[in-house]
Amino acid sequence: MSDEFEHVARLIESAGSVVALAGAGISVESGIPDFRSPGGLWTRFDPSIYATFESFMNNPTKFWEMAEELNPLLEGAEPNPAHMALVELERLGKCDVVITQNIDNLHQRAGSSDVLELHGTFHTGTCLKCGTRLTYEEIKQAAAGRVVPVCKSCGGSIKPDVVLFGEPLNAAVLQRAVELATECDLMIVVGSGLEVFPAASLPNYAKRGNAKLVFINIAATVSDDIADVIIVEKAGEALPRIVEAYRNLSGAGAEANRRSEYNGIRP
Ligand code: NAD
């Protein structure tokens, strides 16, 4: 076992409260591109045109054109070993909550029971005129051959329940995330470039609360200077190895190993 994984396992063992903060990078191995990596979404869709609240309110066509490309990827994606490893940490009593910037629902589908979606979800939408809530299937029906879906009841424009750039986060969700970050003993930041605020400030809250910080990323982040451990590796490889190292250290038991094999996580 390499030292860095054993180091993280020890941090997990000594932590009373462990929180994961996930970004788009955790879902790249599920086939969903992130934003800023080479080939990421923003290399093809300028966010100031395709994904700001203001541009959506002025003319939602560009957003929905981007969604037409992105939705099949989101629909077809399956949780990968990184999502499953966070579920396994939760089963071992070592992941209280997953705070995610992702809108793809993959943590929930993997089995994480407490997922805080900072940036909402693509699974539901809301009519901006009458407030009707729609499921993903209803949004698709509301498009009915058009690019932009409109409300069946009032003809209003439908916005997916994702937080666009320039749009405030849900205040209660953000407050809980800040509290969790401030109070945790260990924050595992996985697949986030930490460039999108206020999500990017959560590791700072954790640090100020004396938590240890573990960053897992294939590249450097702008906040690497505050990390206690940096693992430069794919999330789908690093997180299962962390689970393995923690099990070896804690003797978490044959039962846990059997369950992991069943879940497709490398024992
Ligand atoms: P980002 O694109 O800014 O950063 C992604 C990070 O993941 C990068 O630092 C990259 O080096 C790293 N990365 C890429 N592949 C990786 C892998 N296999 N393992 C580990 N790390 C990997 O994304 P962000 O920091 O999450 O913030 C941008 C915004 O992206 C968020 O607001 C989020 O809502 C949105 N987003 C979400 C999805 C999704 O739901 N899956 C997809 C694209 C963008």
Side-chain angles (χ1 to χ4, degrees), residues 1-18 89 94 185-188 211-214 228-229 231 241-251:
M1 183 197 303
S2 94
D3 283 350
E4 61 189 357
F5 292 102
E6 191 174 330
H7 186 177
V8 177
R10 290 193 190 287
L11 293 177
I12 290 173
E13 189 178 45
S14 60
S17 158
V18 182
L89 275 183
K94 289 294 180 178
D185 300 312
L186 173 64
M187 178 179 276
I188 300 174
K212 298 291 184 191
L213 291 175
V214 174
D228 295 282
V229 184
I231 296 180
R241 287 185 71 185
I242 287 171
V243 173
E244 174 193 3
Y246 173 67
R247 270 208 222 96
N248 289 343
L249 189 71
S250 67

Side-chain angles (χ1 to χ4, degrees), residues 5 33 121 133 140 144 150 156 161 169-170 177 209 211 215 228 231 252 256:
F5 292 102
T121 174
R133 301 292 309 278
K140 286 211 308 199
V150 290
D161 292 336
L169 273 62
N170 177 297
F215 287 7
D228 295 282
I231 296 180

Side-chain angles (χ1 to χ4, degrees), residues 14-111:
S14 60
S17 158
V18 182
V19 165
L21 172 63
I26 197 171
S27 296
V28 167
E29 289 158 83
S30 294
I32 304 172
D34 64 7
F35 276 159
R36 290 176 182 76
S37 293
L41 283 176
W42 290 162
T43 60
R44 294 172 41 240
F45 298 103
D46 178 346
S48 67
I49 297 171
Y50 286 90
T52 69
F53 187 59
E54 199 187 343
S55 62
F56 186 92
M57 296 308 274
N58 287 336
N59 179 3
T61 310
K62 286 284 175 202
F63 173 87
W64 286 111
E65 279 172 7
M66 176 177 73
E68 252 182 8
E69 268 200 51
L70 196 53
N71 283 353
L73 295 179
L74 291 165
E75 284 174 31
E78 295 292 332
N80 68 53
H83 299 102
M84 303 309 293
L86 290 180
V87 176
E88 190 60 14
L89 275 183
E90 178 184 336
R91 287 197 183 120
L92 294 166
K94 289 294 180 178
C95 183
D96 300 348
V97 60
V98 179
I99 303 172
T100 189
Q101 298 171 76
N102 297 342
I103 55 156
D104 55 30
N105 206 35
L106 291 182
H107 294 291
Q108 292 91 331
R109 286 187 45 212

